[in-house]
Amino acid sequence: MKALHDFLENRIKPHFVKGGRLEKFYRTFEAFETFLFVSGDVTKRGSHIRDAMDMKRTMFHVVIALMPVMLFGMWNVGYQHYQAIGQESGLIDNFIFGLLRVLPLIVVSYVAGLTVEFIFASIRDHEVNEGFLVTGLLIPLVIPVTTPLWMVAVATVFAVIIGKEVFGGTGMNILNPALLARAFLFFAYPAHLSGDDVWIYTGLEQGQQLVDGFTGATPLAMLTTGEIENLPSLMGMFIGSIPGSVGETSTIAVLLGALILVATGVGSLRIMLSVVAGGLFMGLLFNLFAVNDYMELPAHYHLVMGGFAFGTVYMATDPVSASQTGTGKYIYGFLIGVVTILIRVVNPAYPEGMMLAILFMNVFAPLIDHYVVQANIKRRLRRLKT
Amino acid sequence: MSENMDNNKESLFSLKNRKLLSNPLSKENPISVQVLGICSVLAITVQLRASIVMAISVIAVMGFANVIISLLRKTIPPRIRIIVQLTVIASLVILVDQILKAYVYDVSRQLSVFVGLIITNCIIMGRLEAFALYNKPWPSFLDGIGNAAGYGWVLLTVGFFRELLGSGTLMGYQVIPDALYEVGYENNGFMILPPMALITVGVIIWVQRHRDRELIDVS
């Protein structure tokens, strides 16, 4: 370690500091330096007490919390593939197959996004933020495994520039960048993000063919088209061996991630609970006034289908784009749940409503906060007067 | 602006007059700085051809409307000036609409109601109110043309990118080679939707503010 540090400090750094040949790339160098070692910069005046929970550590907690869904997603990609071609496969086969399919998505998303981040950091002369570590991993997990790589790159660049950098970079964004990337793909290349053919990597080689009765439809698509009798079992959907975006299928893996997020204090339990409450509320409301099969679907089914669990735990809790106030978080989360189920059941054009619901409520989050703060001021003024 | 009135011996293309023409293109751009006339930018920029026709129509309407109102400025009673302005604009728009129908029928169909809606384009009313009512015909003409051109170039830029990326064509001719489609390229369906027009205008505003720092409004 010491040798590496000395090597960086004495051999590499002089090229990048002011006056060096590669002065322009100082921020790039700095990012890698602080990635390996703690930043050498110290405060110049006065003393500051800082929590060890800085942005880098927060982001890493989220990345760790994403590991269960990522690993399960990789397994599921392989499992769905071998099921589709009717081939027996073991746990390892499934996982290796999925790894080889998902890894390129992750690499492309990181390379594209970090390139933009580095360019903006150099232009604006600030440190490269760690925020993209999470976004870069979220993007591959919320898209189908068959998405072409160049589209992933385009969507990532769009999300980082239009979703984040125009507003001033990490911490200033109105919308969740990862969801923005998905929304961009959804509207720009709908053929690759909806329908029945994209969720499972089939990639038939010679001599292989799809099993009889293979549809590739997600549970939500089945419900939208009225094939309610083909729905997988509740347990199957809870475990997650169903078609869907890479990371969203397994509720059990998401719960594991939620445990990590809540235990480390990174994710807001208030938001998670209120999203679930909102979803259940709307589901029950539909049950009460049911006029078709979809509306009669038990409310708890909604929680394990599609991206509901994933969105609740990883997307809705994004500390930047969510509401900041305590009461605001309840309102924000509850409305996400309500709108999601509303879109799912009522609008046949969008089988899944989680993405649109969260983006929609992201826009409203500042408004909710404003009224919560105003109400608080009013309440305290009244107390003062009495 | 009103100081133009007392300067009778000014040459046709004095610095002040040239400014009338060039300022709206950048520093006082009706779309990117004053944020007026956004609706038509969102509606008709899917195809570059429609954008060009729209830009030319607005230039014609604004140029003439400004001149006419400027000529009438001393006879229009202030209390009914808005309705007079609207009558002038509406007559010009009907003229433009008839000409489009006669010569470029397909584009006219494509623009549909938006030719008629030039009447409600806030830029035109704004310039009549703010400039033509108080200035002589020639400066008013320049001001009208300048503002319409400022509107026009934003329209063309947005139309260019939306058609190129959304349909892979320019003016209806395919420009993205087939070879690119064969390796997996696809047209961006988002570009055809109105939100992307708004984002494109946003990017234009961003680039402009970046280059011209004094436009940044910190308040």
Side-chain angles (χ1 to χ4, degrees), chain B residues 30 36 44 70 76 87 105 113 116 140 147 154 157 195 204 208 212 218:
Chain B
L36 294 173
I44 49 93
S70 171
I76 302 174
T87 317
Y105 187 65
V113 297
S140 299
N147 274 284
V154 177
T157 317
I204 291 175
Q208 196 190 8
D212 194 350
V218 250

Side-chain angles (χ1 to χ4, degrees), chain A residues 19 30 78 105 122-123 143 153 172 182 189 296 350 367:
Chain A
E30 188 195 33
L105 295 177
S122 299
I123 294 175
I143 56 178
M172 310 290 232
R182 191 184 198 278
Y189 311 107
E296 275 168 15
Y350 303 118
L367 191 70

Side-chain angles (χ1 to χ4, degrees), chain A residues 285-301:
Chain A
L285 206 65
F286 275 128
N287 288 347
L288 276 181
F289 303 100
V291 290
N292 58 26
D293 283 350
Y294 202 163
M295 285 174 140
E296 275 168 15
L297 187 80
H300 58 275
Y301 268 68

Side-chain angles (χ1 to χ4, degrees), chain A residues 120 150-151 158 161-162 166 184 187-189 192, chain B residues 184-190 193 196 199 203 206:
Chain A
F120 272 92
W150 72 270
M151 287 183 189
F158 177 85
I161 295 180
I162 302 295
V166 285
F184 178 82
F187 288 109
Y189 311 107
H192 291 273
Chain B
Y185 177 79
E186 276 176 45
N187 289 327
N188 188 327
F190 202 12
L193 303 174
M196 213 52 189
I199 291 174
V203 171
W206 183 25

